Amino acid sequence: MPTQVTQITPPAAEILGKIQELTPQEQEVIINQLTVTEHFQGPLPAPKHLRQYNEIVPGAAERIIVMAEKEQEHRHSSEDLDLSAAIKQVTRGQWMAFILAIVFAGIAVWLTLSGFEVAGSVVFGSTIVGIVTAFIVGNKKTKDSNR
């Protein structure tokens, strides 16, 4: 359905006048080469297109808007689930690391009290070094991924 232009700018009027001076065959060639390009970005079509949809199928505009709202709601809930799962995974990892650190510290204390001071010191030292390294490397990865 062609759009009717109600206001013509002076340069467009000048071009239109020149086109009207041409033969019908030349006018057809020029008209076939003219292209109108519209660009619209977003979750919904432009309002004039929604009106046109409504003219073709009554109620189509509302259905399109409802569809966009449902899609946005779905996207937000999916992002919420992803974020929640990531938080749970990090929390679970921290608790497991804490439990392992307590277990190895307990083994180190037991070894030291049982007369194996060197073994106890090695287990305790390696546990502390592992924890510190994990926090440093983990923080470094987090900072790199946030950039």
Side-chain angles (χ1 to χ4, degrees):
M1 174 160 71
T3 304
Q4 185 175 3
V5 178
T6 55
Q7 293 181 342
I8 299 176
T9 62
E14 182 182 338
I15 293 170
L16 185 59
K18 289 181 181 180
I19 291 174
Q20 289 174 341
E21 294 172 4
L22 299 173
T23 66
Q25 292 82 10
E26 292 171 326
Q27 288 179 5
E28 186 176 347
V29 168
I30 290 175
I31 290 172
N32 287 336
Q33 290 180 0
L34 292 176
T35 303
V36 175
T37 302
E38 288 185 88
H39 177 74
F40 186 82
Q41 186 172 348
L44 294 172
K48 75 175 190 178
H49 294 146
L50 283 174
R51 273 192 298 279
Q52 291 171 345
Y53 279 120
N54 250 0
E55 290 171 8
I56 297 168
V57 178
E62 185 170 343
R63 290 171 45 196
I64 291 170
I65 291 171
V66 168
M67 181 179 64
E69 290 171 343
K70 284 182 180 180
E71 174 59 31
Q72 182 179 20
E73 184 180 323
H74 171 71
R75 190 176 324 114
H76 286 190
S77 67
S78 293
E79 289 173 0
D80 288 347
L81 287 173
D82 290 346
L83 183 59
S84 177
I87 290 170
K88 285 179 183 178
Q89 182 180 9
V90 168
T91 303
R92 187 172 36 250
Q94 288 174 338
W95 275 108
M96 292 175 118
F98 175 73
I99 291 168
L100 283 172
I102 296 298
V103 167
F104 277 101
I107 291 171
V109 168
W110 177 76
L111 285 171
T112 302
L113 294 176
S114 297
F116 301 101
E117 292 85 8
V118 175
S121 297
V122 168
V123 169
F124 188 73
S126 62
T127 301
I128 295 299
V129 168
I131 291 171
V132 171
T133 303
F135 273 104
I136 291 173
V137 170
N139 286 339
K140 198 172 189 180
K141 285 182 180 178
T142 302
K143 287 179 184 175
D144 289 342
S145 67
N146 286 338
R147 287 186 189 167

